Amino acid sequence: MKRILLYFATVMLLSSCGYNSMVEKDEEVARAWSAVETQYQRRSDLIPNLVNTVKGYADFEQETLTAVVEARAKATSVQVNVDELNPQSIARFQEAQQELSGALSRLLVSVERYPDLKASTQFSQLQAQLEGTENRISVARDKYNSSVGDYNTYIRKFPRNMIAGIFSFEQKGYFESASGSDKAPSVEF
């Protein structure tokens, strides 16, 4: 009978100290991370179609296309396990994704010199899908950061921080803005 009472007391203590809420918040972070990965995967899936459409224009800069393909390969090779959403792994993932974003930006800027390509319906549709995906990525990252903020705050408050420590609930990493994004770009004509 004492064991049953001790077990019941332990269960009540853990639930009143927020263990179950920590699990729920941890799962919300995992769901939000999954949404981020889904949107990045969507972008990655669009890139081969974009590259193939651009390749149809024989005199298009090959090095620009190569940079996009290589950046995509690198970005898709950097995977983050949901159990390792620490600042270092998020930074590695974000760095690879930023390389891909930069390569795509260079590709889209260089398209400006090819009016026939810009006028292509297929290219226009792919470009619109890519822009929509970038917006979805931004929304998913915001949702992820919000979930992480809620989770990190919850596990750091007393007395939950003691329960979090006992059960290895660790702080999660945020997506952060790219270095230099706080400065406006200079535009010269």
Side-chain angles (χ1 to χ4, degrees):
M1 184 68 168
K2 281 187 175 182
R3 280 189 179 184
I4 293 173
L5 287 175
L6 182 60
Y7 176 76
F8 183 72
T10 303
V11 168
M12 292 305 293
L13 176 66
L14 289 177
S15 65
S16 68
C17 288
Y19 176 82
N20 290 338
S21 294
M22 287 180 209
V23 170
E24 290 171 1
K25 290 177 183 304
D26 188 49
E27 285 299 314
E28 178 55 36
V29 170
R31 276 192 298 277
W33 176 251
S34 179
V36 168
E37 286 184 315
T38 298
Q39 295 311 319
Y40 276 116
Q41 183 62 50
R42 184 179 196 289
R43 177 175 76 170
S44 183
D45 292 345
L46 286 171
I47 290 171
N49 293 334
L50 185 67
V51 168
N52 287 334
T53 300
V54 172
K55 271 185 184 176
Y57 292 79
D59 58 344
F60 198 84
E61 294 95 352
Q62 189 60 37
E63 73 181 52
T64 304
L65 292 175
T66 302
V68 170
V69 171
E70 288 173 356
R72 178 185 180 268
K74 182 176 180 183
T76 56
S77 72
V78 177
Q79 299 294 316
V80 178
N81 184 325
V82 73
D83 296 326
E84 298 170 358
L85 291 172
N86 56 50
Q88 298 81 12
S89 61
I90 295 294
R92 269 193 329 273
F93 181 84
Q94 188 173 357
E95 182 181 317
Q97 295 299 332
Q98 286 173 345
E99 278 186 43
L100 179 54
S101 293
L104 281 172
S105 293
R106 288 187 296 279
L107 172 70
L108 295 176
V109 165
S110 63
V111 163
E112 293 298 318
R113 293 181 287 223
Y114 298 88
D116 292 343
L117 177 57
K118 278 178 43 179
S120 160
T121 304
Q122 184 179 10
F123 178 79
S124 295
Q125 289 172 347
L126 286 168
Q127 188 175 16
Q129 287 182 34
L130 203 55
E131 289 168 359
T133 299
E134 292 298 330
N135 289 335
R136 289 181 179 130
I137 288 170
S138 178
V139 168
R141 284 174 47 152
D142 285 347
K143 173 73 172 144
Y144 170 80
N145 277 348
S146 177
S147 297
V148 167
D150 185 42
Y151 168 84
N152 286 349
T153 300
Y154 192 83
I155 68 167
R156 291 178 60 209
K157 287 184 177 179
F158 182 81
R160 294 184 295 253
N161 60 344
M162 293 187 296
I163 300 299
I166 291 169
F167 290 99
S168 301
F169 285 95
E170 297 178 1
Q171 289 189 48
K172 307 289 185 185
Y174 290 95
F175 272 102
E176 297 181 9
S177 60
S179 62
S181 63
D182 56 334
K183 297 176 186 134
S186 63
V187 179
E188 296 177 24
F189 293 100

